[in-house]
Amino acid sequence: RYREDGQKEFDQAVLLPQRLDSAFVRRGFHEGFVYTVHAQHPVEYYAEAREIESEHFRISVLDHPIIRSLQVTLEPPTYTHQKPTRQNENIGDLTGIAGTRGLFRITSSAPLLTATVVFRPSQTAADSASHTSATEQRFALAITDSIATGAVTFLRSGLYHIDLVDRDSVASEHPIEYTVTVTRDEMPQISILQPESRADLPNDMRLDILARIHDDFGFRGVRLGYRITHSKYLKPDTGYCWLPVPLEAYAV
C-alpha cells in the first residue's frame, strides 16, 4: 500500500509471487514479490499480508537544484575606459570586447555544494585546420549557502551553461545554454595627409606633418619614425629613429 504526500487514503497494488533475480538468489531467496515505485513526490508505503502489516516507510524525493536568479555584470577591459554594465535579471547572453569579464551572481533553489560556469569556445579556422575541437573550460564559483559568485574573463566567442550541485550531491539537470559574442579590438589606423609622397625641406629644415589617426578606444601614445636613406654628410640609417608625439598639443 502506498500514498503520496497530501493523499488521505492508501492505494494498493496486489503482488503475485515471481522468480527473483540472481542478486536475491545468492542470498537464499528464490521466489518473492516485486513492486517498482516511480516516485515523483514523497511517498509513504508499507506491505500487508492478511493480518500482518509491516512498518511504514517513506521515500523522500530530492528536487534537482535550479537557478532562481542569474545576475551578470559586464566589466570591459580597463583600457577601453567603459563603465561596467549590469544586465537585466536572468539575461545570460553576453556581448563584449575580448577581455571582458562577466561577474556572476547566482541564486539557487537549494544550498549549494558547488557551482561551475562551463564554457565551450566556438570552433576557429585554426581548430578546423588541425582537426581539433576547442577545449571545454570550467570555472568554479565561490559558494555562500545558496548564493554562487565569481568572475570569468572571455577571450573567445562560444556557449556556456552553469552546473549546480546541492549539499545532497544532487546535480542540476537540462541547463540553459547562453551565448558569448566576443568582438575584437580594432587596430589603430593612421594616414599622413601632408606632406604627400615627396617633399622638399625648406631652409629652416622644418617640415609640418598633418596626420589623421583613429582608434575605437583612443590612444596611449603616438611615435614618429624616420630614417636617413641618402646623405652626402651622414651615413644612411639601417633602422628607424623614433620621436614621441605629444598628443595633448595636437589632438582635436
Side-chain angles (χ1 to χ4, degrees):
R1 297 183 179 272
Y2 59 92
R3 66 179 178 186
E4 293 185 352
D5 274 4
Q7 182 178 337
K8 293 184 177 180
E9 302 298 329
F10 283 88
D11 293 323
Q12 72 172 19
V14 177
L15 309 181
L16 299 177
Q18 57 182 284
R19 299 291 298 177
L20 298 178
D21 59 27
S22 57
F24 287 97
V25 171
R26 286 196 297 269
R27 296 165 56 189
F29 301 100
H30 297 274
E31 194 174 71
F33 303 90
V34 177
Y35 180 69
T36 302
V37 179
H38 299 282
Q40 298 294 325
H41 304 283
V43 174
E44 180 186 356
Y45 72 93
Y46 66 94
E48 180 184 71
R50 297 183 179 176
E51 302 300 323
I52 303 172
E53 181 178 311
S54 74
E55 295 181 39
H56 286 222
F57 302 95
R58 284 185 60 82
I59 298 175
S60 297
V61 177
L62 300 176
D63 292 327
H64 294 275
I66 62 173
I67 295 175
R68 296 288 190 194
S69 173
L70 170 65
Q71 186 70 66
V72 185
T73 298
L74 295 179
E75 189 177 83
T78 54
Y79 73 85
T80 66
H81 303 292
Q82 294 181 328
K83 295 181 179 179
T85 57
R86 185 175 180 178
Q87 301 201 149
N88 291 334
E89 187 178 12
N90 295 326
I91 299 299
D93 293 332
L94 311 179
T95 300
I97 195 167
T100 294
R101 291 206 316 161
L103 307 179
F104 291 88
R105 179 181 173 84
I106 298 162
T107 303
S108 170
S109 60
L112 293 172
L113 182 65
T114 64
T116 308
V117 175
V118 182
F119 176 64
R120 188 171 70 255
S122 298
Q123 194 86 352
T124 64
D127 295 330
S128 301
S130 60
H131 303 288
T132 60
S133 58
T135 304
E136 180 182 271
Q137 299 171 322
R138 303 178 69 87
F139 304 92
L141 303 179
I143 303 299
T144 304
D145 196 37
S146 60
I147 305 295
T149 57
V152 178
T153 299
F154 294 101
L155 301 175
R156 294 174 60 176
S157 298
L159 299 172
Y160 79 92
H161 66 266
I162 298 164
D163 285 344
L164 304 178
V165 178
D166 67 18
R167 291 180 184 173
D168 293 314
S169 297
V170 178
S172 54
E173 283 191 323
H174 313 300
I176 299 174
E177 291 277 6
Y178 299 102
T179 61
V180 176
T181 304
V182 169
T183 58
R184 296 295 169 186
D185 186 1
E186 296 289 340
M187 295 183 65
Q189 300 176 1
I190 182 167
S191 56
I192 297 178
L193 305 179
Q194 295 177 4
E196 298 181 356
S197 58
R198 293 183 60 86
D200 295 323
L201 283 173
N203 292 333
D204 62 1
M205 302 297 287
R206 296 176 64 88
L207 184 66
D208 291 332
I209 296 177
L210 178 63
R212 176 181 288 118
I213 60 178
H214 169 75
D215 187 77
D216 43 0
F217 295 110
F219 301 91
R220 186 173 60 182
V222 177
R223 297 187 303 166
L224 174 66
Y226 69 93
R227 67 188 178 98
I228 297 173
T229 59
H230 178 76
S231 174
K232 294 181 180 180
Y233 312 104
L234 298 174
K235 184 179 179 180
D237 293 325
T238 57
Y240 280 90
C241 298
W242 297 95
L243 291 174
V245 177
L247 286 176
E248 295 79 10
Y250 301 101
V252 294

